[in-house]
Amino acid sequence: MGLFENKMSDLHERLHKKELCVSDLVDESFKRIAEVDGQIQAFLTLDEEGARQMAKRLDDQGKAASLFGMPIALKDNMVTKGLRTTCASKILENFDPIYDATVVKKLHEAEAVVIGKLNMDEFAMGSSNENSAFQTTRNPWNVNTVPGGSSGASAAAVAAGEVLFSLGSDTGGSIRQPASFCGVVGMKPTYGRVSRFGLVAFASSLDQIGHITRTVEDNAYLLQSISGVDPMDSTSAPMAVPNFASALTGDVKGLKIAVPKEYLGEGVSEDVRQSVLEALRVLEKQGAVWEEVSLPHSKYALAAYYLLSSSEASANLSRFDGVRFGYRAADAANLIDLYKKSRAEGFGDEVKRRIMLGTFALSSGYYDAYYKKAQKVRTLIKKDFEDVFTKYDVIVGPTTPTPAFKIGEKTSDPLTMYANDILTIPVNLAGVPAISVPCGFSNGLPLGLQIIGKHFDEETVYRTAHAFETATDFHKKKPVL
């Protein structure tokens, strides 16, 4: 059995007993990457020298901090001092940051070992990992299918056993959807729970750093280490960080679950629907109760999301101009020509599409009709969640309407691709926490159960997810590479 099939608590115990050393864990990671990453193509940059140096230092020092010695990889939109950060875009292909993101600092303080940087959809814009400027990451369960996006490589690397866990970012489902496709556990915390300082912005009011693990327990430990208010991020919340692992009691007796009828309706495959209903029966046997509810404005979420996120992307990506950093066109005639050529050559098609959509929505004469109206719809969606949470503890439904689709299947139809996030997007618009845990299979491909909680109530989300995980064995199944 591979070392990364153990929970972090088991690995820490073995480190404490001197049955393992940190260098063994790092060796395991690089060995596995050498064996399978040619098929998966998850990593853009490896930091083998830095990882081995840190492993030696930790072995000499002995066990101390919460993530001591655990190998982790980062989505390549989190800045890392001296380690290339590209956002999987040509425009940043040679960018070496001079500081670390706050989450990276927290990982160093917790004594995790950063193995490298992971592929993604360019600037986190995509649902399949096919929008990277460098390579297409593949799903370990079937290398002819996508791993999801935009944090597809973050999920694929964990599912393939290349690292114990990974960080990603979630703007409209970009952690939960890949976690579902790859059969792992993916958490999007409450907006503001984890600092975004050092995360290259896509849509600032929607982006949230989160994480992908093999088990719910590991997920809770990791959130503990990366959470907290940050003076460098004015949107980080001044909330106390609870002991998330203490919520993993396995007790869901009396838990009130809401199941939105919109999440099991048109477009959701029968295999997905049945796996969710079976998951509800599992929780019911453990003492939870569930009822069907309505989130009536969910049908407008997709349109509102793409208007708002594209508008924010248009503003955020204006800083990539070929002057201050990043790619610069070589043959520009003047400054305006430099801007145009650098951006035209540096950005991929999907990024350009969203910049143009966002610029249009923000333009004079269209702002009120599109952007302002989308903000009003967002408020209604948030109120739908608040109304349901007055009577229920969590909301449960599928993470995605289907299992992973084939590479190339939806690249020619952006609207069909966008619709893949229809079940995850409302969560980002409302800013609430949600987790995806494995709950079944369809034609050999994993399916995910999405558990949504109240603002800053990750504890109840974890309690529900852990109770389901301990009663099933979906999380124990592994892809064969």
Side-chain angles (χ1 to χ4, degrees):
M1 187 172 78
L3 288 174
F4 298 156
E5 293 178 32
N6 293 278
K7 294 186 296 185
M8 183 173 69
S9 56
D10 295 332
L11 291 174
H12 271 164
E13 185 177 349
R14 292 178 67 182
L15 286 168
H16 180 68
K17 291 179 177 177
K18 307 293 186 186
E19 297 173 2
L20 279 178
C21 64
V22 176
S23 295
D24 293 331
L25 297 175
V26 172
D27 287 344
E28 172 95 355
S29 185
F30 285 114
K31 178 185 174 188
R32 183 64 174 167
I33 290 167
E35 289 172 350
V36 304
D37 206 59
Q39 299 175 64
I40 303 302
Q41 298 187 66
F43 282 87
L44 290 178
T45 304
L46 291 172
D47 186 20
E48 188 162 359
E49 182 181 352
R52 292 194 185 282
Q53 285 177 355
M54 185 164 187
K56 185 178 185 308
R57 180 173 67 78
L58 294 176
D59 283 332
D60 293 340
Q61 165 195 309
K63 186 178 182 302
S66 57
L67 301 179
F68 178 83
M70 299 296 109
I72 188 168
L74 311 173
K75 186 176 180 179
D76 203 23
N77 60 348
M78 298 169 207
V79 298
T80 42
K81 186 177 181 180
L83 186 61
R84 195 175 67 137
T85 301
T86 70
C87 292
S89 177
K90 181 180 177 181
I91 211 161
L92 285 176
E93 63 182 336
N94 294 311
F95 176 52
D96 288 322
I98 58 172
Y99 66 97
D100 281 325
T102 295
V103 285
V104 178
K105 283 184 179 177
K106 285 179 175 282
L107 290 174
H108 289 324
E109 290 166 2
E111 296 178 342
V113 181
V114 175
I115 297 297
K117 308 294 286 293
L118 295 160
N119 194 29
M120 55 186 284
D121 285 298
E122 184 181 4
F123 283 101
M125 298 180 192
S127 305
S128 66
N129 235 273
E130 294 171 284
N131 293 332
S132 169
F134 306 121
Q135 60 197 37
T136 297
T137 300
R138 296 170 180 269
N139 192 322
W141 290 89
N142 181 340
V143 294
N144 295 315
T145 62
V146 302
S150 60
S151 306
S154 297
V158 174
E162 295 179 303
V163 286
L164 190 65
F165 32 64
S166 64
L167 293 193
S169 64
D170 192 311
T171 307
S174 291
I175 287 172
R176 290 159 288 147
Q177 186 245 28
S180 175
F181 280 4
C182 293
V184 287
V185 178
M187 168 60 101
K188 184 209 86 72
T190 306
Y191 183 82
R193 172 67 84 185
V194 179
S195 170
R196 291 184 299 109
F197 179 72
L199 175 71
V200 179
F202 161 18
S204 303
S205 74
L206 297 159
D207 295 342
Q208 185 56 60
I209 290 174
H211 47 296
I212 293 171
T213 59
R214 294 289 307 278
T215 68
V216 173
E217 181 183 303
D218 282 1
N219 207 280
Y221 281 126
L222 186 49
L223 183 58
Q224 184 85 36
S225 298
I226 63 174
S227 294
V229 67
D230 178 16
M232 302 298 286
D233 176 8
S234 62
T235 64
S236 70
M239 302 286 290
V241 180
N243 183 346
F244 296 114
S246 67
L248 309 181
T249 61
D251 179 16
V252 290
K253 192 171 183 180
L255 184 82
K256 295 179 181 178
I257 300 172
V259 181
K261 62 183 180 181
E262 294 84 1
Y263 286 19
L264 292 174
E266 185 181 353
V268 176
S269 79
E270 186 59 21
D271 284 353
V272 169
R273 198 173 75 84
Q274 289 301 325
S275 72
V276 170
L277 293 174
E278 180 56 37
L280 289 167
R281 285 190 280 271
V282 169
L283 291 168
E284 204 171 29
K285 286 178 184 175
Q286 295 175 289
V289 294
W290 66 275
E291 292 177 355
E292 190 178 84
V293 299
S294 178
L295 295 172
H297 295 97
S298 294
K299 59 186 176 183
Y300 306 116
L302 204 63
Y305 169 82
Y306 277 100
L307 280 167
L308 294 173
S309 64
S310 298
S311 297
E312 294 184 26
S314 171
N316 278 324
L317 271 62
S318 64
R319 71 194 69 182
F320 301 103
D321 54 12
V323 176
R324 288 164 286 187
F325 51 82
Y327 176 81
R328 177 181 294 186
D331 55 350
N334 52 50
L335 186 61
I336 299 300
D337 197 38
L338 174 67
Y339 292 158
K340 288 180 178 179
K341 283 181 175 288
S342 297
R343 289 167 68 80
E345 295 170 13
F347 289 137
D349 289 346
E350 182 62 29
V351 174
K352 291 175 188 174
R353 184 182 292 121
R354 298 201 197 192
I355 288 173
M356 288 190 289
L357 174 61
T359 304
F360 173 79
L362 292 174
S363 61
S364 176
Y366 297 100
Y367 178 88
D368 286 348
Y370 294 104
Y371 181 78
K372 193 173 179 180
K373 189 171 286 185
Q375 288 286 29
K376 290 179 178 178
V377 171
R378 181 180 189 171
T379 300
L380 293 173
I381 290 169
K382 183 172 179 285
K383 189 174 186 303
D384 283 349
F385 279 99
E386 289 170 351
D387 290 345
V388 168
F389 283 133
T390 60
K391 298 178 183 176
Y392 300 92
D393 300 308
V394 292
I395 296 170
V396 169
T399 307
T400 59
T402 65
F405 46 90
K406 288 185 177 177
I407 290 170
E409 185 178 327
K410 299 185 180 182
T411 49
S412 61
D413 187 354
L415 292 180
T416 302
M417 184 78 82
Y418 294 169
N420 205 261
D421 297 331
I422 196 164
L423 301 174
T424 53
I425 278 171
V427 169
N428 296 79
L429 291 170
V432 293
I435 198 169
S436 178
V437 293
C439 72
F441 289 87
S442 176
N443 296 319
L445 293 169
L447 303 173
L449 182 74
Q450 183 173 212
I451 302 164
I452 306 165
K454 302 172 186 177
H455 285 100
F456 298 102
D457 189 18
E458 286 88 354
E459 291 163 288
T460 303
V461 173
Y462 276 135
R463 180 161 61 94
T464 309
H466 184 253
F468 175 73
E469 183 183 80
T470 53
T472 58
D473 62 358
F474 299 116
H475 64 289
K476 296 178 182 177
K477 299 188 184 299
K478 316 289 187 302
V480 178
L481 286 163

